[in-house]
Each structure stands twice: as structure tokens, then as C-alpha cells.
Amino acid sequence: DAGVIQSPRHEVTEMGQEVTLRCKPISGHDYLFWYRQTMMRGLELLIYFNNNVPIDDSGMPEDRFSAKMPNASFSTLKIQPSEPRDSAVYFCASSLVGGPYEQYFGPGTRLTVT
Amino acid sequence: RKEVEQDPGPFNVPEGATVAFNCTYSNSASQSFFWYRQDCRKEPKLLMSVYSSGNEDGRFTAQLNRASQYISLLIRDSKLSDSATYLCADSSGYSTLTFGKGTMLLVSP
């Protein structure tokens, strides 16, 4: 079975550029989560969706960050404009609705903003 | 703010040793808990789920102490391949997980 798929795996960009991260959840999973991981702050939940609808975006650091889920098999996280402090690993995870909340993570996108 | 706290380590143990980590949580209403393993530069991978008093899977045992609000992970007969960071999480939110920052384990020959 295919797990969560993320692209790109690595992204290096200059400050001020737009960055788009992509995620395909596990087929049949109704919840999708975007996380950011840094050494200092650990794994932070940014936003999550249920059946393609954003439920809680209180973890999104500021208006430069936006996320969409146009259908059950695709989501994007966009940063515009990017800043050096956005450098981190961004993970997407998915889980089943009504399940035991076990989340399965994608391989992550390592973002470096110079 | 609901938090999950872990000793960052590292825990340095020789092969074959038994090692245990604790993880404390602040939300007394949490019902489900999870241990994830994260290798360097990889994603977290689910290791064990804990819904009642505990769970056992081979060399790994997870236990839940609701009175003191902590969960533990015990690894017996440590292998070199067990070297990783172990993250605990609780389902403190509706369908969401709150993660600790992880405990690093280093198993040496």
C-alpha cells in the first residue's frame, strides 16, 4: 500500500520567493495534517483538514502561510513570501475518521530559505 | 496549554541492555497515547498505540499510568538498530495529537 506522498523532498529557495509543498494522503483517510518540525520547537501542528475542509488553522504561524485541499487525494501548503525562519522540515500526515487517531506521516519536505 | 514532556536524552546504552523512557502529559482527559520512532532525517513512524493500561509488542512494552499522568516505553534486549529518537503523543485534541520533543536513544556495541 502506498503511504503518504510528499513533494518535493528538498527545497532550497531565496527569501521572498513563493514555496509550495504538496501532499497525497493515504487513500481512504479522511484527515490530513500539516506539521512543521524544528530542533527548537519540535513537531508543531500547523493545520488539519477533515473531508477536505480545514478544521483548525490556529497553528499557522502567520498570513504568509496558507493551505488548501481541493480534493481527497491532494493538499498544498504555500508560503508566500518565504523567510529564513521558515526553514524546517514540513510533514504531512493522514488518519482515518472515527479511528484511534493513529497518524501516518509522509517523508517530509526539507525546506531551506536563504 | 496542553503539553507533552519528554527527557531529551540522549540515553546511551550498550547492546542487550533494557532501557525505559517516560513521557508526561498535562491533559487528564486524554484517552489515547502513541509512541513514534524517528530516525535521523526521516519521518516519525508509529511504534505502538496505548489505549488502556498498556501494550506489548515483542521487545517493546508501553505502559500508561493515569494517576500520575505519564506513559512509559520499555525496550528490552536493545539492538543497535533501536538507535533513534522516540516521540510520544497524546490525543489531547479532537482527532489531533500533541507530540513531545522526543527522547534520543543511542545503543552502542
Side-chain angles (χ1 to χ4, degrees), chain A residues 10-14 19 83-84 86-88 109-114:
Chain A
H10 301 273
E11 178 80 30
V12 180
T13 191
E14 293 183 347
V19 175
E83 297 183 2
D86 301 331
S87 298
T109 296
R110 186 169 297 273
L111 174 64
T112 302
V113 183
T114 61

Side-chain angles (χ1 to χ4, degrees), chain A residues 6 61 69 113:
Chain A
Q6 290 186 248
M69 191 165 185
V113 183

Side-chain angles (χ1 to χ4, degrees), chain A residues 9-10 31 33 35 37 39-43 45 48 91 95 100-108 110, chain B residues 1 32 34 36 38 40-46 49 51 87 91 93-101:
Chain A
R9 296 291 303 275
H10 301 273
Y31 281 84
F33 306 84
Y35 290 90
Q37 187 176 40
M39 289 292 292
M40 288 296 294
R41 301 175 68 89
L43 201 57
L45 177 64
Y48 76 98
F91 289 106
S95 69
Y101 313 122
E102 294 167 346
Q103 295 180 17
Y104 298 88
F105 284 76
R110 186 169 297 273
Chain B
R1 181 177 173 215
S32 308
F34 305 90
Y36 282 78
Q38 186 172 24
C40 186
R41 302 180 76 85
K42 299 287 188 180
E43 73 273 24
K45 292 187 177 178
L46 183 64
S49 305
Y51 301 112
L87 305 172
S91 59
Y94 182 70
S95 297
T96 64
L97 298 179
T98 300
F99 284 86
K101 292 184 179 179

Side-chain angles (χ1 to χ4, degrees), chain B residues 16-81:
Chain B
T18 295
V19 62
F21 318 128
N22 281 346
C23 168
T24 60
Y25 61 94
S26 62
N27 184 5
S28 59
S30 293
Q31 295 296 313
S32 308
F33 303 87
F34 305 90
W35 282 103
Y36 282 78
R37 172 199 169 117
Q38 186 172 24
D39 292 291
C40 186
R41 302 180 76 85
K42 299 287 188 180
E43 73 273 24
K45 292 187 177 178
L46 183 64
L47 181 64
M48 298 184 75
S49 305
V50 186
Y51 301 112
S52 56
S53 60
N55 193 6
E56 184 172 333
D57 183 4
R59 297 184 294 109
F60 298 82
T61 300
Q63 291 190 319
L64 169 62
N65 184 315
R66 289 194 185 275
S68 300
Q69 294 189 198
Y70 73 86
I71 58 172
S72 63
L73 179 67
L74 181 79
I75 305 175
R76 290 180 295 275
D77 188 23
S78 299
K79 313 291 185 187
L80 295 176
S81 57

